Amino acid sequence: MPTAEDPSPTGDPAPDSAEPGSARPGAGELSGLQRAAVAELLRIFPVADELGRRFAKAGFELHLVGGSVRDALLGRLGNDLDFTTDARPEQVLALVKPWAESIWDTGIAFGTVGVAKKGLQLEITTFRSDLYDGESRNPVVTYGDTLEGDLLRRDFAVNAMAVSVPDHRFTDPFGGLSQLAARVLDTPGTPEQSFRDDPLRMMRAARFAAQLAFTPAPRVVSAMTDMAAEIQRITVERIAAELSKLLLADHPRLGLTLLTNTGLAAFVLPELPALKLERDEHHQHKDVYEHSLTVLEQAIALEEHGPDLTLRLAALLHDIGKPATRRFEDGGGVSFHHHEVVGKKLVRKRLRELKFPKQLTEDVANLTFLHLRFHGYGDGRWTDSAVRRYVTDAGPLLPQLNKLVRADCTTRNRRRQLALQHSYDDLEARMVALAAAENLARVRPDLDGNAIMELLGVGPGPVVGRAWAFLKELRLENGPMGREAAEAALLTWARAEGLVE
């Protein structure tokens, strides 16, 4: 596989990129390693050749295309394969019906037929040469007649390569192979036309930077910067979907930095560039923007079961309340009092506007609110009651809160790092010990509602709720009490409240 150190698939200097729409010298030629990658792809997935023979017999072309070819050459192909063909959708349906295990045609209005076969998901799309009105991102679906025309309308040149089946002819009219080797992201035509056709491609550029660690070409960055406001033509649902894919990628910092530097973040996640607080020579404080990106990377390093969107969003946004709460203190200090309270509100507002799921939104908001709770633990004043409250308030978010708190340490002071690490370890050990003794996962009063009503001689209503809350506070403060002690405490409270004689 080519790497950044090997700028061309053959190890020779990479040829100059061709002008969009023209074939460059050597186009279609694979290095030995890449030929092996494609051969292995087709060996593992003989379904591709099998399907190609059906199309060829009927007089049609069929090409493995786009991300499938790119990922095969990068050695990261999944079970989803994309194909393009000169056959029209109704002809595709007729060809695959006797062969496929199942078919779906929800995308047929856009020329796409879905097929399941031998554990693979195949999407077959008729050549397209869409027309855009420049106002929305919805094209007038127009079928094309050539593979090259179809490849021209794709977002990036690394996604505009094709391998025909069953004869395995490689087509690369826009220099995608060279760009793949150099890890560069460029458009087949001009980026201005590409982004005017579909502004979401600017978000995709950031997503591919995060997923593949590719560097956008200077002209792509320039067009993104000039056209950033065009992203407002895209629905928030599609923006949120791209943002989620970016955050769940291996290198989200690269994508987020691109969004911020080009001005796109100002439209899709304005709280992020807002963290770039102006610095004052007399009032120094940590760079909140860079700190947040570092916390994100450190949180990712703590993940145990794959990418966690809740944790990653919380790590990125945990300090978004700081710009609104910054205060310059006498003597050169800077404070951000209650930024976790303001941050919770801002997180909830932004994620709701992006139409993220309700539970995800609330979880990220609550993690933002709780992320400062740990601070002060190291002074040794936390009682068992404080540990119980920490666990109870976090609830099912406790594992993510622990990771967020650990990731939030970005100090370069080695002594402080070690002190915080010791404090984290100590708190987690205490939580484990208390959980084993008291079942902290379900901290509830020692008496349930029925027992409260029976003891106080009342029916369902507000009094039961007040009594239940009193007993829960008592349980958090003292740990398990047992029924007899809980009943005595409840009666004492009820007399003081004038509820019983």
Side-chain angles (χ1 to χ4, degrees):
M1 187 194 111
T3 66
E5 290 72 32
D6 177 13
S8 77
T10 62
D12 298 321
D16 292 336
S17 294
E19 288 297 319
S22 66
R24 60 179 180 80
E29 295 179 6
L30 290 174
S31 72
L33 200 57
Q34 289 166 327
R35 280 195 297 273
V38 173
E40 180 67 5
L41 160 70
L42 297 171
R43 185 190 68 79
I44 295 173
F45 300 125
V47 167
D49 277 350
E50 188 179 325
L51 184 60
R53 284 190 288 271
R54 294 186 67 86
F55 275 71
K57 186 176 181 180
F60 297 114
E61 299 176 35
L62 186 68
H63 306 267
L64 192 65
V65 73
S68 295
V69 176
R70 180 200 70 219
D71 288 346
L73 296 173
L74 289 172
R76 61 193 301 273
L77 187 71
N79 290 331
D80 297 332
L81 300 180
D82 295 325
F83 296 86
T84 190
T85 180
D86 57 343
R88 295 300 191 253
E90 64 277 7
Q91 295 169 321
V92 174
L93 280 172
L95 282 168
V96 299
K97 273 184 178 179
W99 177 81
E101 294 166 2
S102 63
I103 295 173
W104 59 96
D105 59 5
T106 51
I108 200 164
F110 298 96
T112 299
V113 174
V115 172
K117 183 75 170 182
K118 297 181 180 178
L120 300 175
Q121 304 294 318
L122 318 178
E123 286 198 345
I124 307 163
T125 303
T126 300
F127 292 162
R128 296 259 296 269
S129 57
D130 299 339
L131 300 175
Y132 293 81
D133 59 15
E135 298 297 328
S136 70
R137 69 164 299 277
N138 298 317
V140 176
V141 176
T142 305
Y143 297 132
D145 297 315
T146 67
L147 173 63
E148 287 73 14
D150 181 85
L151 296 177
L152 176 62
R153 57 168 285 277
R154 293 178 181 267
D155 51 6
F156 299 105
V158 293
N159 296 329
M161 299 180 285
V163 177
S164 62
V165 286
D167 57 344
H168 306 175
R169 179 172 51 85
F170 186 78
T171 302
D172 176 24
F174 307 110
L177 194 59
S178 294
Q179 292 174 28
L180 192 73
R183 308 191 78 82
V184 169
L185 203 61
D186 203 353
T187 51
T190 67
E192 290 81 6
Q193 184 62 53
S194 181
F195 299 157
R196 190 175 299 113
D197 285 347
D198 184 359
L200 190 65
R201 289 172 176 172
M202 296 187 287
M203 289 289 294
R204 287 201 198 110
R207 191 239 295 179
F208 286 132
Q211 286 180 332
L212 305 173
F214 278 23
T215 301
R219 69 174 190 159
V220 170
V221 175
S222 178
M224 290 172 68
T225 304
D226 293 342
M227 302 176 67
E230 293 291 310
I231 198 65
Q232 296 174 99
R233 288 163 45 195
I234 303 301
T235 63
V236 293
E237 292 90 347
R238 294 183 65 82
I239 289 172
E242 285 296 328
L243 185 59
S244 295
K245 291 175 183 177
L246 186 162
L247 285 169
L248 292 170
D250 290 341
H251 312 283
R253 184 178 193 136
L254 296 177
L256 293 167
T257 300
L258 182 60
L259 290 181
T260 301
N261 291 347
T262 58
L264 274 163
F267 297 99
V268 302
L269 194 64
E271 293 79 7
L272 181 59
L275 294 176
K276 288 191 168 187
L277 300 177
E278 292 182 9
R279 310 298 289 274
D280 184 291
E281 62 178 325
H282 302 297
H283 298 85
Q284 294 297 318
H285 60 79
K286 187 178 295 182
D287 184 326
V288 183
Y289 172 76
E290 290 295 332
H291 164 75
S292 298
L293 294 179
T294 300
V295 172
L296 171 60
E297 289 182 318
Q298 294 184 167
I300 291 171
L302 295 172
E303 289 174 337
E304 299 170 299
H305 306 293
D308 181 342
L309 184 59
T310 299
L311 175 62
R312 294 188 182 199
L313 277 168
L316 181 65
L317 302 177
H318 74 287
D319 274 346
I320 67 169
K322 280 190 171 180
T325 58
R326 182 172 64 163
R327 298 292 181 270
F328 295 131
E329 307 292 350
D330 294 339
V334 179
S335 66
F336 303 95
H337 295 308
H338 306 302
H339 75 271
E340 76 280 12
V341 178
V342 174
K344 178 179 181 179
K345 294 177 182 178
L346 290 175
V347 165
R348 185 179 283 143
K349 179 176 182 292
R350 175 54 52 200
L351 297 189
R352 282 177 176 173
E353 288 183 359
L354 288 170
K355 298 187 180 180
F356 276 100
K358 182 178 179 181
Q359 188 62 57
L360 174 69
T361 297
E362 288 305 304
D363 287 349
V364 176
N366 286 329
L367 285 170
T368 300
F369 176 69
L370 292 169
H371 83 274
L372 283 185
R373 186 73 62 86
F374 168 83
H375 294 278
Y377 177 80
D379 62 13
R381 291 183 296 173
W382 275 38
T383 62
D384 283 353
S385 172
V387 176
R388 290 189 197 97
R389 290 178 188 279
Y390 183 84
V391 173
T392 301
D393 289 347
L397 295 173
L398 183 62
Q400 289 151 311
L401 179 59
N402 288 341
K403 292 181 176 66
L404 176 60
V405 168
R406 286 183 180 272
D408 197 22
C409 173
T410 60
T411 179
R412 296 179 182 178
N413 185 316
R414 183 60 178 164
R415 181 177 297 178
R416 177 164 169 74
Q417 281 183 349
L418 291 173
L420 286 169
Q421 183 70 42
H422 175 75
S423 294
Y424 301 147
D425 293 343
D426 186 63
L427 176 57
E428 290 193 359
R430 288 182 66 186
M431 287 190 289
V432 169
L434 280 171
E438 302 179 11
N439 189 17
L440 290 187
R442 295 185 72 252
V443 173
R444 300 178 65 82
D446 293 273
L447 302 177
D448 63 17
N450 290 329
I452 291 170
M453 289 188 288
E454 181 180 351
L455 185 65
L456 299 184
V458 299
V463 170
V464 178
R466 288 170 56 198
W468 193 92
F470 164 75
L471 288 171
K472 182 174 181 180
E473 283 296 309
L474 210 60
R475 169 75 166 76
L476 286 169
E477 190 67 29
N478 301 320
M481 297 176 62
R483 187 178 184 89
E484 186 175 333
E487 288 178 345
L490 180 60
L491 286 172
T492 299
W493 171 82
R495 291 189 186 101
E497 294 289 315
L499 299 174
V500 298
E501 298 182 357

